Amino acid sequence: MANKIPRLEAREQDPKVRAQNFEEVCYGFTMEEAQLEASRCIQCKKPKCVDACPVNIQIPQFIAEVHNGDMKEAARILFTDNSLPAVCGRVCPQETQCEGVCILGAKGQPVNIGKLERFVADWSSENGIVFTEKQTPNGKKVAIVGSGPAGLACATDLAKMGYTVTVFEALHKPGGVLEYGIPEFRLPKERVVKKEIDNLKKLGVIIETNVIIGRTITVDDLFDKENFGAVFIGSGAGLPKFMGIPGENLNGVFSANEFLTRNNLMRAYDTTYDTPIFVGHNVAVVGGGNVAMDAARTALRLGAKVTVVYRRTEKELPARVEEVHHAKEEGIIFHFLTNPTEVLGNENGWVRGLRCIQMKLGEPDESGRRSPVEIPNSHFEVAADVMIMSLGTSPNPLIASTTPGLETNKWRCLVADDDGATSRPGVFAGGDAVTGAATVILAMGAGRKAAAAIDRYLNG
């Protein structure tokens, strides 16, 4: 029966309407829709979806409870392994993880696990369901550096174990990339991010904002002066990369991080805030990842015509298929096999366009990936008032440079083992600070592993 029911997709805003607002694109499931989609799950005896989830959510079990109509039990199962289910249900790349290995996908369409996760999390929030069960306090203190996905996941597990947990955040709002990086139309801040963080506080986690580790206080101070038994570093990767081409210092050139932070954290999109951001008439976004899609779709909503420039083909785009699909629906233009060679400026020092060259894919290297190669004499110009560079990020070196004995690699990432232990005893790390820019759920998985390792470390 399950195989004969077509996969149910959640309703969305009309592309022409949503391209002009910052309201959430997807409406999510109704109760009836969620139960119908849950009925498609065949309850595998050896579910591959659980192993494919970086935080190992018991997916068949929570889906079975949705089908049965016991939403509170579904929520309890979900929150046991995932401290941010409303976030993950919206931004996880389910198509390459849990849904990617769903047995129904072999001959048809996988269960819509992501939208079911979102439905249960939203139902819990709307009905005031919060799970705050934890072990008896053990009197031991752990410091968490960074309130992004890795730090929040680590803090949640440790708090449940009975530790006194304090999270230190450099910015004035907690949430890390959830707050400053992902746009409102994909991840509502007040309705989703703030509520999930409030749930964490109800577990007893303390969050201190405006604290820059390495400036306000050092890791050594956390041990020696504040008496923390262990420190977890989940400070992310917020240092942008540029191409090193002529014209990158012109007015109108942004990193995607700066552009999204000014729009999200400083609410440049909200006319009631005195923090606007200039987009001009034409915006060119260089890059093809999820951050590039976020920047492009944000610029579009701010009133610009947007072009994405990517040096490989659409097949190689690292962004989620859903995000690319949404971008195209909204009217964003894509120039594939195209690479900028110069940012062109006007007499006032502002961007007026990009000089680009056409590319082709060369022969596969040892890994099987085909590198882009320039086509001689194929230069052309792309009109732009603003250029947004979305070429990846690396960790800020501040923490490593102020913490003796903390090893980094050539990409400035902290070196840590699979459980998050670093070269400095008592210091653990995970998420983008270790791997470089990756996904929310992978960072959360690293945070959970580190929490378990910290528990073992503090208990000998």
Side-chain angles (χ1 to χ4, degrees):
M1 179 64 179
N3 285 303
K4 299 188 181 296
I5 301 173
R7 174 183 165 105
L8 193 63
E9 300 294 347
R11 294 159 296 119
E12 298 175 344
Q13 278 197 74
D14 179 87
K16 292 182 180 178
V17 175
R18 72 180 190 238
Q20 300 179 53
N21 67 56
F22 279 84
E23 296 171 13
E24 191 169 11
V25 168
C26 179
Y27 293 123
F29 283 154
T30 64
M31 178 71 77
E32 293 74 18
E33 289 170 339
Q35 289 188 279
L36 178 60
E37 182 61 22
S39 72
R40 297 182 64 237
C41 179
I42 62 175
Q43 295 293 311
C44 303
K45 291 183 179 179
K46 294 183 178 180
K48 296 180 179 179
C49 56
V50 177
D51 291 335
C53 173
V55 296
N56 300 121
I57 296 169
Q58 299 304 301
I59 294 169
Q61 286 93 326
F62 100 76
I63 290 180
E65 297 303 337
V66 173
H67 184 210
N68 295 335
D70 191 343
M71 298 303 159
K72 186 173 182 180
E73 180 60 15
R76 187 196 65 77
I77 295 168
L78 193 56
F79 277 92
T80 297
D81 297 300
N82 190 348
S83 54
L84 305 169
V87 170
C88 294
R90 287 167 164 84
V91 304
C92 267
Q94 289 95 1
E95 66 276 9
T96 60
Q97 295 177 162
C98 55
E99 294 180 16
V101 297
C102 176
I103 195 68
L104 293 185
K107 294 184 179 180
Q109 295 176 306
V111 175
N112 199 334
I113 299 169
K115 295 299 187 291
L116 288 173
E117 180 181 22
R118 167 185 165 157
F119 172 79
V120 173
D122 286 356
W123 180 91
S124 301
S125 177
E126 291 162 7
N127 287 275
I129 304 298
V130 181
F131 300 94
T132 57
E133 295 83 2
K134 60 181 182 179
Q135 296 176 21
T136 304
N138 57 30
K140 298 175 183 178
K141 295 169 57 180
V142 179
I144 308 289
V145 180
S147 64
L152 295 177
C154 187
T156 299
D157 281 9
L158 288 169
K160 288 179 179 179
M161 294 175 193
Y163 290 94
T164 299
V165 182
T166 302
V167 178
F168 297 97
E169 168 56 46
L171 297 175
H172 64 281
K173 279 190 176 182
V177 70
L178 308 177
E179 183 67 40
Y180 69 74
I182 302 173
E184 185 78 11
F185 54 82
R186 284 185 61 208
L187 187 62
K189 306 303 176 241
E190 289 293 319
R191 185 162 54 86
V192 176
V193 178
K194 184 178 182 299
K195 284 195 174 182
E196 301 245 83
I197 292 174
D198 284 345
N199 288 343
L200 183 63
K201 292 178 180 178
K202 289 172 184 175
L203 273 171
V205 173
I206 302 163
I207 298 179
E208 294 189 16
T209 57
N210 299 309
V211 179
I212 301 174
I213 302 299
R215 284 290 180 270
T216 312
I217 191 171
T218 65
V219 170
D220 283 345
D221 290 337
L222 293 176
F223 284 116
D224 301 336
K225 297 179 181 179
E226 303 294 333
N227 299 315
F228 285 100
V231 175
F232 173 76
I233 300 173
S235 50
L239 197 62
K241 297 177 182 177
F242 289 87
M243 294 184 70
I245 59 177
E248 279 187 334
N249 60 342
L250 288 166
N251 294 319
V253 177
F254 293 94
S255 70
N257 264 30
E258 178 189 358
F259 184 79
L260 291 170
T261 299
R262 289 176 63 175
N263 186 71
N264 298 332
L265 192 66
M266 299 174 68
R267 300 179 72 89
Y269 65 89
D270 190 335
T271 55
T272 64
Y273 280 69
D274 191 23
T275 51
I277 188 169
F278 175 75
V279 294
H281 299 290
N282 295 287
V283 170
V285 178
V286 182
N290 289 322
V291 176
M293 297 306 111
D294 286 344
R297 296 174 67 199
T298 295
L300 180 81
R301 284 162 170 75
L302 292 175
K305 178 181 177 182
V306 182
T307 301
V308 172
V309 176
Y310 182 60
R311 63 180 184 158
R312 290 185 167 89
T313 71
E314 183 171 358
K315 183 180 178 182
E316 286 81 31
L317 273 176
R320 291 185 68 188
V321 173
E322 180 181 66
E323 300 308 316
V324 177
H325 171 68
H326 283 159
K328 287 183 174 180
E329 277 190 327
E330 292 164 5
I332 289 170
I333 300 164
F334 285 79
H335 279 316
F336 295 110
L337 290 171
T338 300
N339 204 38
T341 58
E342 183 181 0
V343 187
L344 304 173
N346 61 23
E347 64 278 5
N348 296 317
W350 282 83
V351 175
R352 68 166 180 82
L354 301 184
R355 181 172 170 80
C356 298
I357 191 168
Q358 293 181 350
M359 312 290 284
K360 64 179 180 180
L361 294 182
E363 294 300 317
D365 58 20
E366 292 180 358
S367 68
R369 194 178 193 200
R370 300 172 66 190
S371 297
V373 179
E374 293 183 355
I375 299 175
N377 304 315
S378 63
H379 281 92
F380 66 101
E381 290 188 16
V382 173
D385 309 300
V386 166
M387 178 183 184
I388 301 173
M389 294 286 197
S390 183
L391 306 170
T393 54
S394 61
N396 189 310
L398 178 61
I399 293 175
S401 66
T402 57
T403 307
L406 201 56
E407 184 182 349
T408 60
N409 60 24
K410 63 181 180 180
W411 297 287
R412 297 181 176 177
C413 296
L414 299 177
V415 176
D417 65 18
D418 288 343
D419 289 331
T422 69
S423 54
R424 172 80 181 266
V427 178
F428 297 76
D432 292 3
V434 172
T435 62
T439 63
V440 167
I441 193 66
L442 287 173
M444 291 179 65
R448 294 202 72 196
K449 282 185 178 181
I454 289 169
D455 182 51
R456 293 193 296 271
Y457 171 78
L458 291 178
N459 286 289

